[in-house]
Amino acid sequence: MTLSRRFLVAFFAAVVPQVGFADLSPTMEETIASVIPNVVAWRRDFHEHPELGNSEFRTAGIIAEHLRALGMEVQTEVAHTGVVGILRGGNGPVVALRADMDALPVKELVDLPFASKAIGEYQGREVGVMHACGHDNHVAILMGVAEVLAGLGKDLPGTVKFIFQPAEEGTPDQSVGGAELMVQEGAFNDPKPDAVFGLHVFPYPVGVVATRPGGLMASSDFFRITVKGKQTHGAVPWAGVDPIVTASQIVLGLQTIVSRQLDATLTPSIVTVGKIEGGVRNNIIPESVEMVGTIRTFDADTRLDIHERVRRIATQTAAAAGATAEVEIDLGYGVTRNDPALFRQMAPTLRSVAGDGFIEANQTTTAEDFSYFANEAPGLFLFLGVAPEDPSLVYPNHSPRFYADERALPVGVRALTALTLDYLAAQ
Ligand SMILES: [Zn+2]
Ligand SMILES: [Zn+2]
């Protein structure tokens, strides 16, 4: 995501002086202030020692030790390296708080004393490893929230489940993992959360807390279309069926789903063909062509509707040419959808935490597996602004130059703490 320089400069002028403003009790603010030095230290340590999905052994070990020291019931090795901590206070509802722990196969290019020099293996290749999506911040923030809430003892009006999740960025072998596997392995059972909150660092200005009701982040599905024709000489096309021309017609047909077929006022959607392959030389019309692509949208029904249209356009365009098309659609992450009622209930809390820095987020066409948790209980996912003040240092998540300004860490701790306490107290 890129924000214009003008927007950033205007925003910093308006927002930064308000970092530090919150509506938590003075005692709570003191407790939070006392854990921030640790949060900063954890974040730097995790940043320097990033681990790829399903290999977060060191990270998970530090988390589990911290949660045990706080007196929590702790489960480890959930969905490989996941950690779940249960903090039981007084009688009341159950809130789940989620942080993802994994890093990316990216070689860090940020000049920091705690920059990553880690090397890992990704799909058989040696790669640099970096917290280029900022999950180091998520883990450190949630460890801080755990310490603050554990300090309340029986004054905590309910139960909090701390969910530290592996492999948000996908599993190394594309198998089921991350949030989906944690849910399958019972992370949301016994006790079952009544609501789930999570956050993601994003290049909004520091101090911003951005979210919106309904679809926040897109669903992301993979498709493969194999067009089968009949191989022939390139000079004698009538003796065969040309899958290259047919595949080209399918590519163009797929582009009419969003531009001509879906209700443009309902929700943004994307159908992208990202790779197309067929043939070996100039004068042979090949037997088949394969294309793969991605489907993104913000609405669960639209998602299924697009799948149906992709199938119909591919098979019927192929049939019109005397070819056949096989369509395979693999479901990826679902829509990260904020429960509208929960959003309405918690918006005043977020306003008190971030002041004018609480803004309506833009929808983003990237995807998040927080959606698996938010399918199990009403969910609210936030973007936490971490863009450094100097616009020349602002890079998107996944960039080797992605850098999160540490001044956002207290805002993250206050946001998740306040959401939890206000939600529990209201029930
Ligand atoms: Zn990411
Ligand atoms: Zn991420």
Side-chain angles (χ1 to χ4, degrees), residues 404-415:
D405 191 317
E406 283 175 351
R407 289 178 307 155
L409 293 169
V411 184
V413 174
R414 293 213 314 277

Side-chain angles (χ1 to χ4, degrees), residues 100 102 104 132-135 168-169 200 366-368 397-398:
D100 42 6
D102 55 325
L104 284 160
C133 205
H135 300 180
E168 192 285 326
E169 303 282 1
H200 204 299
T366 50
E368 239 299 333
N397 300 59
H398 290 206

